[in-house]
Amino acid sequence: MPLALLALAIGAFGIGTTEFVIMGLLPQVSHDFGVSIPTGGLLVTGYALGVMFGAPLMTVLGTKVPRKRMLMLLMGLFIAGNLLSALAPSFAVMLIGRVIASLAHGAFFGIGSVVAADLVAPDKKAGAIAMMFTGLTVANVIGVPLGTLVGQSAGWRVTFGIVAAIGVLGLAGVARLVPDVPKPEGVQLRHELAAFKNAQVLLAMAMTVLGFGGVFAAVTYIAPMMTHVAGFSDGSVTWLLVLFGLGMVGGNLIGGKYADRALMPMLYVSLGALALVLGLFTITAHNQITAAVTLTLIGALGFATVPPLQKRVLDHAHGAPTLASAVNIGAFNLGNALAAWLGGIVIAAGLGYTAPNGVGAALAGAALLVAVLSAALERRGGSHTAVISAPTAEQPTVSH
């Protein structure tokens, strides 16, 4: 794999850390600014919304900018947002900093996926995408726990300062290691938008919303589920999330490896197993050992879908894939928000802290049905393929 993928992974590590570390530092941040925990939760909601809307917005704004330069600009935006969060004199200013940082998230992963895929041979594209996303998964194993520990001992402002420094390292890596590959000539915004006429692109995004939404239906409420149902102590939640993160790392690498060999079968297996495991979690959550094992499996199966889904979008938005790739990243966050909302509804209805697992199983099962439908349409030639006037020939593989 080219060293350029390491630079993309470092940027992904910083983004993953800043996205999730706020959850562990929310009590400290809320206390320092004198706001309630629910109000402090706007720092999470604001970031998610920024990713959803920022992914297409920043990608459209960067349509005429070479991809390497756009990646550098996005990392600069990420650094500025985290520095503003670290130095924020008020809650409102920190919220602005979080939104600024989030604007880089979707476009970085969207454009980075295209760049990563262009760096390798056609039969290694999903593996290259998975290598970039490894930075995001490792962030959940190392970055988030360490960031939480640093924030609790030295102050949350130090954590966001360190995250900004990681962004500087990522920016330097992109500048030094990512080759300056020009965009295909003739590709304009209308070509990027034309990709959304392809039913397979839309179906892949539906799988993204439903499949990863299933994961977050359970994980959003993992703390009360593990403490009230499984009987873990509050301090154990951090290490349970490390297990979840380890599962994500393994699932991401496996998904990338096998998606290059058999993409749709990989989706069938991972989505079907995810629905089954989420359903079983309503039972296994009552025992500490089985709960820990199940949580790890959910992380693995959930992230095993990420490289194949991202590659499927790139395959069917050929010629002008950047916007579709970025929007698919936003679809992950849409799924997260939808699942968290549905999970909250069933808990509020008095069904208990394990009820969101049933919601997650239903969402993952729906994603599997969409995958079956997508493959059936593809076999019968029933999907509408977008007509893109830009060149669609494969770009030459670039190594560094």
Side-chain angles (χ1 to χ4, degrees):
M1 289 291 179
L3 282 176
L5 296 178
L6 175 61
L8 296 175
I10 292 172
F13 177 84
I15 291 173
T17 300
T18 205
E19 179 181 16
F20 294 108
V21 78
I22 187 62
M23 298 175 185
L25 299 176
L26 202 56
Q28 289 81 10
V29 175
S30 300
H31 178 268
D32 284 358
F33 286 127
V35 300
S36 66
I37 292 292
T39 300
L42 292 174
L43 297 173
V44 178
T45 305
Y47 190 95
L49 292 175
V51 175
M52 287 174 55
F53 293 105
L57 174 63
M58 299 306 299
T59 305
V60 168
L61 291 176
T63 300
K64 299 184 181 298
V65 181
R67 287 168 181 159
K68 175 178 178 176
R69 187 180 305 170
M70 191 61 193
L71 288 171
M72 293 173 65
L73 290 172
L74 290 168
M75 287 310 301
L77 195 64
F78 172 80
I79 294 165
N82 281 285
L83 281 177
L84 184 59
S85 294
L87 302 173
S90 67
F91 179 79
V93 174
M94 185 177 185
L95 181 57
I96 293 172
R98 290 285 292 169
V99 172
I100 290 174
S102 72
L103 294 176
H105 183 129
F108 183 87
F109 281 110
I111 296 172
S113 294
V114 177
V115 171
D118 283 345
L119 289 171
V120 297
D123 63 340
K124 296 184 181 297
K125 290 182 182 294
I129 294 170
M131 190 61 65
M132 180 188 68
F133 274 98
T134 297
L136 176 64
T137 57
V138 171
N140 284 274
V141 179
I142 299 175
V144 173
L146 285 181
T148 301
L149 182 63
V150 168
Q152 291 173 344
S153 58
W156 58 267
R157 294 183 186 274
V158 176
T159 296
F160 283 99
I162 292 174
V163 172
I166 295 172
V168 172
L169 185 61
L171 174 59
V174 171
R176 175 68 181 86
L177 298 175
V178 175
D180 196 3
V181 180
K183 295 180 63 175
E185 294 183 7
V187 176
Q188 300 177 10
L189 178 58
R190 69 175 182 273
H191 303 131
E192 298 281 359
L193 292 173
F196 294 95
K197 296 178 181 178
N198 189 322
Q200 293 295 347
V201 171
L202 300 179
L203 288 171
M205 291 180 180
M207 285 182 257
T208 296
V209 172
L210 295 169
F212 214 73
V215 174
F216 262 73
V219 175
T220 300
Y221 302 98
I222 199 64
M225 192 190 311
M226 293 297 94
T227 54
H228 289 82
V229 179
F232 283 101
S233 65
D234 291 341
S236 299
V237 173
T238 297
W239 302 111
L240 287 168
L241 290 176
V242 170
L243 290 177
F244 174 73
L246 287 171
M248 291 171 65
V249 173
N252 176 60
L253 294 176
I254 292 172
K257 178 180 180 179
Y258 286 99
D260 278 323
R261 301 179 183 180
L263 192 150
M264 290 309 294
M266 183 65 210
L267 282 177
Y268 295 153
V269 171
S270 55
L271 289 172
L274 178 61
L276 177 62
V277 169
L278 282 166
L280 289 174
F281 202 19
T282 58
I283 301 171
T284 60
H286 292 272
N287 176 275
Q288 292 187 356
I289 295 176
T290 56
V293 172
T294 306
L295 184 61
T296 306
L297 288 174
I298 290 172
L301 293 169
F303 235 85
T305 67
V306 175
L309 284 173
Q310 197 70 5
K311 182 177 184 293
R312 189 158 177 83
V313 169
L314 295 181
D315 288 344
H316 288 280
H318 54 83
T322 310
L323 181 58
S325 176
V327 170
N328 195 48
I329 299 299
F332 283 104
N333 284 266
L334 176 59
N336 298 350
L338 173 65
W341 174 64
L342 291 174
I345 288 178
V346 295
I347 291 176
L351 299 179
Y353 287 120
T354 61
N357 300 328
V359 173
L363 290 172
L368 176 59
L369 292 177
V370 173
V372 172
L373 172 63
S374 176
L377 289 174
E378 193 170 37
R379 285 194 301 269
R380 288 160 42 189
S383 62
H384 174 70
T385 302
V387 179
I388 301 177
S389 59
T392 58
E394 287 286 341
Q395 294 187 41
T397 299
V398 180
S399 60
H400 187 86

